[in-house]
Amino acid sequence: ALRVLFDAFDVDGDEVLELSEFIELVKSTPMKIRQHDAINMFHELAGPDDTMDQGEFAELLTFYKFNTRTLLTTMEATQRQLARRNNADEEGEHGEDRSRSSDVESP
């Protein structure tokens, strides 16, 4: 289940969280964590490549004793939000495709 949370915020799908993705994850939770604290948390457990893989993410949750139930509840809400955003993005892409085709000149 934590894999789903991790994957939901791994926007570029490279199987690691960059700092910006991690910040978005933290912001989506009901936890009151200041951004500079989240940045410090990330840097404490991120790998030498300055990204956080799934193992480091799990370690972070254990290290900081995050309430996993709260995170999973947040994850479900986030998944619904992402699905709505993806649907809106797809509708926007289809609209863009139509506008592009109207810009093409006929021979």
Side-chain angles (χ1 to χ4, degrees), residues 1-6 29-31 57 61 66-80:
L2 292 178
R3 164 92 188 199
V4 176
L5 178 64
F6 183 93
T29 70
M31 297 176 289
F57 180 66
L61 297 180
F66 281 116
N67 182 330
T68 306
R69 182 172 294 167
T70 300
L71 285 176
L72 292 175
T73 301
T74 300
M75 174 194 69
E76 291 167 358
T78 299
Q79 284 178 314
R80 288 190 297 271

